[in-house]
Every structure is written in structure tokens, then in C-alpha cells.
Amino acid sequence: MKDFEYRTHAANQLQDIYKQLGNGEESNSKSGHVSIAGRIVARGAFGKLAFFTLRDDSGTIQLYCEKERLVNDQFDQLKTLVDIGDILGASCSVKRTEKGELSVYVNSFAILTKSLLPLPDKYHGLTDVDKHYRQRYVDMIANPEVADVFRNRAKIVSEIRKTVESLGFVEVETLVLQGAAGGAEARPFVTHHNSLGRDLYLRIATELHLKRMLVGGFEKVYEIGRIFRNEGISTRHNPEFTTIAMYEAYSDYQSMINMAEEIVTLCAVAVNGKLKIDYQGVEICLERPWRRESMHNLVKEATGIDFSELGNDLTAAKEVTLRALGIDLDNKDKSSIEACPSVGHLLNEIPLLCSPSKYLVLHPSFVQVFEIVVEPKLLQPMHTGFTERFELFICGRELANAFSELTDPMDQRGRLEEQVRQHNEKRAAAAMETNCAEGKINKDEDGSPLLASSWVMTGSYEVTLDDDFLTALEYGMPPASGMGLGIDRLVMLLTNSASIQDVIAFPVLKIQQ
């Protein structure tokens, strides 16, 4: 099909090399003959001239085709056979037209790949929202800025790796298929291993195996990987998502505050070149240091509710919350409030109930001090009733959370056994109330529908104790801090993307009817 190299230069290389070429001038030296390849995204023919816009990974350039320049009937073939969407290779010199546009002056060409399906209209692009996600490859052809999101995602992941490794962290890879779905409270995906004759779970967290690495002698470890949770789908939730989890021995959660600031600010500069960014029409300032505040104070500022005065009176706390937020709440939100089993859970539910216009936290803030009842498993207590933990919120969304880790194996066993017991109680209750739960439509914090409700499904799957993790703790794990940061949500923030589906190349979707 070809008597030339596929490509000697990319489009942007030619734009740079020949930027001094004058209007009407053509490169004549031997080095001026180049080969270029890419997809045709526009075309036009005017008598004995034809113009095509060729796009490759670096940008676009015009193909200038003249009938006298092409041998035999190649010019007629070019006009007849080459369509928008075809991938073309061309051997050419470089010329700047009289109007000043740098072009490649085609000597010969070959259709490298024929596009059998038409591309979306160039003026309207791909407007079908479902196709944006279902046929991402077409979306990227029709809307080049979509591909830029994924280039920036790669930059962010690369910057995260550089940042943590410069501080001495070692990247490790842990199991995706696990015998016990531990490290978080979430509904797992279940599969069956035929050779082993046992059910396995896709991991819902990476933390328990990373902690085993601390037991084994590593002092700074991290893992960037996919997490799988068989729960809701919304603009902020996807069944599989990417996190970085990291653990540092001989440190507490305060060290992770510095780590979180370092990662986010360096990624922001790598992608945007600055620390003031726009997110969905709101200017966010990422300049350090970031605010440190308790959830109690943030809730009081935004709603007027002072939880420190309510003590452990759950009934009174629910009544006050419903009065303060009632105007903005739908039935699902009210049900979420009623379902909270403790004042601590209720306090932590309030940020999820605030509308985007009333975000508790707009600029980066470390929200600290959470009751132990909210996190029953893995936290070192600061003082009675509270834990050493922070959550990083930006623009009303949780981006990261960090802990001072619990290392006492007896205490840990007791908490995990209690968690299993509570789960089994919920599971039994859910089995009795299945009919009541049917038909409910639930919404995410921003009002978008969740295709499944985690609170309805909480009791419908089995939770098992990870005895091997507890055995590892009995060998001794050093005092440590840990942090998990959601890479998808960070990419959303830094690329101004409204939905998590916009930053995942091929998100999970309902079956197309």
C-alpha cells in the first residue's frame, strides 16, 4: 500500500520546524521532504486543488493537494476515495500558502485505514450523552478536548508517583482477588475460582495488604490501583475507581496532611500551571497552607446546628437537623437522617445533604475529629469518643481521608468482630424488609440518581473476618499513618469535569436496549 515511511514527523513538529517559512514559500532541500500520517477530519475540493485537514496525536496540519503534482490519476482517487475519518499517509514537502497556513504539499498518498462508519457532524460533534461514554473512541475523535482529559489524567498519576517516591515511598502491588473483602464497609463483587473451588472477592480496599507490608519490614509503601464496589452509580460514584493508598511507619495522621497538600498542589501545577483553578464556574484556591477545622464547627457555620450542645441525644439531633435543613431536603434525604444510628453518623451525613450552592467546604480543608462509632475499625483514639483522622474536602467533595492506624491486635479483633456482628444484624433485618425497600429511588449528594442504594443493600451480602490480617498484627505492626486519595475525583477537580464518568475512559453502563 505504501512506498514511503509511515511518518517522519508529527504535525506539531512540522509547525515548529517550519515556523519561519514565508507565505507562498516551499521547502526545497532534501530534508524538506517528509512523511506524515493521521486521521482526516475535514476536506474540501476546488477544481484542480483539494485540501484536507489531518490530525494526529500532536495536533492538526493541512494537506495541500494539486492535480499537476500527483502522478497518474491519484488526484481523482484522492477526491473520490478519501473520506472524513480515513487514516491517510502522505509523502510531501512543506509549504506555506499565500494566506499563511503551513501545509504539507502532497507528492503521493495511501489510505492506511478506511473508516467504514461516518463520524459525527463536525459542527455539532457527538451530542448523544450516552454515546459519549459508550463509544468513547468516537467521542475522542469528534471532541479532541476529551482526549486532553485523559492526557491530563496520565500527568496526574505520573506526578503522584514522582511525589511519593521522592519522599522514599516504595510502590507495591497487592491482591485484586481476595478471600475476604476487608478494609472498608462496602458490597463486594463475588466470583468463583474453579481450580481452588472457592469464592473470591474483588477488593474493596487495598489497605489490609499494605499494612501486612509494614509488618514485613517496609516503612513507606503505596499502591495505585483499581477498587471495586458493587454499589451505586452516579456523577460521583463508579463501581470501579482508582485510588492511591499509602502507609508510613513511625508517623501519625498529621504527616499525611503535608502529603495531601504536596500531592494536590504539585498535580495542579503540572496540569494547569497555577494554584487558582476554575471548577464548574467556581474559583478554587489551592495555595497552602489549607484550613484545618472540625466537622462540628463547619456544620455550625453552615447550618447553625451546634452538635457539641446535643451530646448523645440522637432524637433531639435528628429533630434539629430536619428543622435546619428541611427546606432543601427531599424524602430520600429525610430517610437518610432518620436511618442514622448515632449522633456521629448524623454529623457526618450533613455534608452529603447540602446542595452544591451550600457546600460546607469550598476551598481545601482538612476536616478533623470524628467519633469512634463512625469508624469502628482501624483508628487510634485521640481521646474518649474521638479518633485521629482527617478527611480532605474540596468544593464539597471528599478527596482523601487519613488515619493514625490502630496496631493493637486484640483491640482490632474486638472491633472487627463487632462490625461483623452489626452487619449480620442488618443483614437479617434487610431480609425481613426487602419488600419495603423495593421501588425506592435514591439520589446522590448533588441530586443525580443512584442506580442502586448502598443503605438498602448493606445487609444483603456476607462479611467475613480477615483472620490472616489479625495474625499479621499479632507479629507486631509499627505505629503508622495511612491515607487514601481518590484519583478520579482529583482528576475531576483539576480538569473541570462535572462527572466521574468524564474522567474514566470506559465507565460501566447499563446494557443498551
Side-chain angles (χ1 to χ4, degrees):
M1 280 294 292
K2 65 184 181 71
D3 55 1
F4 54 87
E5 295 179 74
Y6 276 129
R7 181 164 63 185
T8 58
H9 297 79
N12 69 338
Q13 290 178 312
L14 294 180
Q15 297 283 3
D16 186 57
I17 293 170
Y18 293 99
K19 60 186 176 183
Q20 302 301 330
L21 203 62
N23 290 0
E25 290 183 4
E26 178 186 353
S27 60
N28 291 317
S29 66
K30 187 174 181 181
S31 63
H33 290 273
V34 300
S35 294
I36 194 164
R39 188 181 298 275
I40 301 299
V41 294
R43 54 165 292 165
F46 309 94
K48 295 183 179 181
L49 289 178
F51 300 90
F52 297 82
T53 301
L54 181 143
R55 183 196 297 151
D56 63 17
D57 190 49
S58 69
T60 62
I61 197 164
Q62 179 176 266
L63 303 186
Y64 182 93
C65 309
E66 197 173 58
K67 184 170 184 177
E68 278 70 23
R69 185 83 167 223
L70 296 168
V71 298
N72 302 324
D73 58 351
Q74 273 206 322
F75 184 79
D76 293 329
Q77 291 176 11
L78 192 70
K79 291 203 300 182
T80 305
L81 300 178
V82 176
D83 296 311
I84 291 175
D86 292 350
I87 296 175
L88 202 72
S91 177
C92 41
S93 57
V94 181
K95 175 178 181 174
R96 191 175 296 280
T97 66
E98 296 293 345
K99 293 185 177 181
E101 181 165 1
L102 191 73
S103 306
V104 290
Y105 201 0
V106 177
N107 297 319
S108 62
F109 77 93
I111 299 175
L112 303 177
T113 303
K114 185 69 180 171
S115 175
L116 301 181
L117 295 174
L119 294 180
D121 182 278
K122 70 175 182 177
Y123 294 107
H124 300 97
L126 186 62
T127 56
D128 186 324
V129 174
D130 186 61
K131 277 194 173 183
H132 275 294
Y133 305 133
R134 201 174 296 280
Q135 295 183 328
R136 181 74 80 186
Y137 40 89
V138 180
D139 191 23
M140 289 189 285
I141 296 171
N143 305 300
E145 65 277 7
V146 172
D148 291 338
V149 170
F150 298 108
R151 291 189 182 94
N152 284 326
R153 182 184 177 111
K155 281 184 185 178
I156 289 167
V157 173
S158 176
E159 194 65 36
I160 291 172
R161 277 199 170 92
K162 284 192 293 185
T163 301
V164 297
E165 290 182 359
S166 70
L167 296 171
F169 283 79
V170 177
E171 184 171 16
V172 297
E173 295 176 284
T174 63
L175 294 172
V176 174
L177 290 175
Q178 300 182 352
E185 187 170 356
R187 181 185 178 95
F189 288 93
V190 186
T191 188
H192 186 78
H193 195 298
N194 292 330
S195 295
L196 296 177
R198 61 179 293 200
D199 285 343
L200 295 172
Y201 304 90
L202 293 183
R203 66 185 178 194
I204 58 173
T206 54
E207 69 174 78
L208 299 189
H209 284 88
L210 290 176
K211 290 180 180 180
R212 288 171 169 91
M213 300 297 289
L214 295 184
V215 173
F218 283 82
E219 294 186 359
K220 294 182 178 182
V221 293
Y222 79 97
E223 180 170 10
I224 295 175
R226 285 291 177 109
I227 304 299
F228 306 87
R229 296 181 181 177
N230 194 0
E231 297 184 338
I233 296 177
S234 75
T235 57
R236 299 164 86 166
H237 299 88
N238 198 65
E240 56 177 310
F241 56 96
T242 305
T243 68
I244 176 171
M246 62 185 68
Y247 291 86
E248 180 179 7
Y250 311 112
S251 69
D252 65 16
Y253 79 113
Q254 296 283 352
S255 69
M256 289 298 165
I257 287 179
N258 295 327
M259 177 66 77
E261 286 183 334
E262 189 80 359
I263 288 174
V264 175
T265 54
L266 288 175
C267 287
V269 171
V271 171
N272 296 299
K274 56 185 180 179
L275 291 177
K276 287 188 178 179
I277 62 172
D278 177 80
Y279 185 73
Q280 302 298 298
V282 178
E283 185 179 75
I284 306 295
C285 180
L286 300 177
E287 293 176 357
R288 302 166 72 175
W290 295 346
R291 184 184 184 189
R292 288 137 171 86
E293 191 55 88
S294 71
M295 183 65 81
H296 288 76
N297 289 340
L298 288 172
V299 168
K300 185 177 179 181
E301 285 178 15
T303 68
I305 305 171
D306 189 348
F307 271 79
S308 63
E309 294 180 352
L310 296 172
N312 291 320
D313 190 339
L314 180 59
T315 301
K318 288 179 179 179
E319 289 175 356
V320 170
T321 301
L322 287 168
R323 273 201 310 272
L325 303 180
I327 271 179
D328 296 323
L329 299 179
D330 57 21
N331 289 334
K332 182 261 178 179
D333 293 333
K334 292 176 182 176
S335 297
S336 297
I337 291 173
E338 293 295 346
C340 288
S342 72
V343 174
H345 282 93
L346 179 58
L347 176 65
N348 286 277
E349 186 76 12
I350 289 178
L352 309 181
L353 302 176
C354 290
S355 64
S357 62
K358 295 183 179 179
Y359 284 143
L360 291 189
V361 183
L362 185 62
H363 298 289
S365 298
F366 295 106
V367 183
Q368 297 169 283
V369 189
F370 294 73
E371 288 188 89
I372 286 176
V373 293
V374 178
E375 290 291 341
K377 303 176 299 162
L378 307 170
L379 311 176
Q380 178 68 39
M382 291 172 66
H383 54 77
T384 303
F386 295 97
T387 56
E388 291 192 8
R389 172 190 177 185
F390 74 75
E391 285 186 340
L392 169 60
F393 280 84
I394 304 178
C395 207
R397 295 179 177 177
E398 179 198 337
L399 235 66
N401 65 83
F403 317 87
S404 295
E405 301 298 338
L406 181 63
T407 59
D408 183 335
M410 299 301 105
D411 189 358
Q412 182 72 92
R413 178 177 289 277
R415 295 193 196 188
L416 290 177
E417 287 176 347
E418 175 62 17
Q419 186 186 35
V420 172
R421 185 192 66 76
Q422 291 179 7
H423 176 86
N424 288 337
E425 287 181 356
K426 292 179 185 177
R427 190 180 187 194
M432 297 176 63
E433 298 175 6
T434 301
N435 292 335
C436 297
E438 286 179 357
K440 289 192 175 182
I441 298 174
N442 301 289
K443 293 183 179 180
D444 189 18
E445 307 97 279
D446 57 4
S448 57
L450 278 165
L451 300 186
S453 170
S454 58
W455 71 267
V456 169
M457 299 191 301
T458 297
S460 62
Y461 61 92
E462 183 180 5
V463 170
T464 56
L465 202 63
D466 190 339
D467 278 308
D468 182 71
F469 169 65
L470 295 170
T471 299
L473 288 188
E474 289 173 359
Y475 282 96
M477 187 180 94
S481 61
M483 181 172 69
L485 185 147
I487 289 177
D488 305 291
R489 288 190 178 183
L490 178 59
V491 176
M492 287 172 65
L493 176 71
L494 299 183
T495 61
N496 195 18
S497 298
S499 170
I500 193 172
Q501 281 79 25
D502 294 329
V503 302
I504 296 175
F506 303 102
V508 177
L509 301 169
K510 292 200 307 190
I511 296 174
Q512 192 170 23
Q513 299 300 319

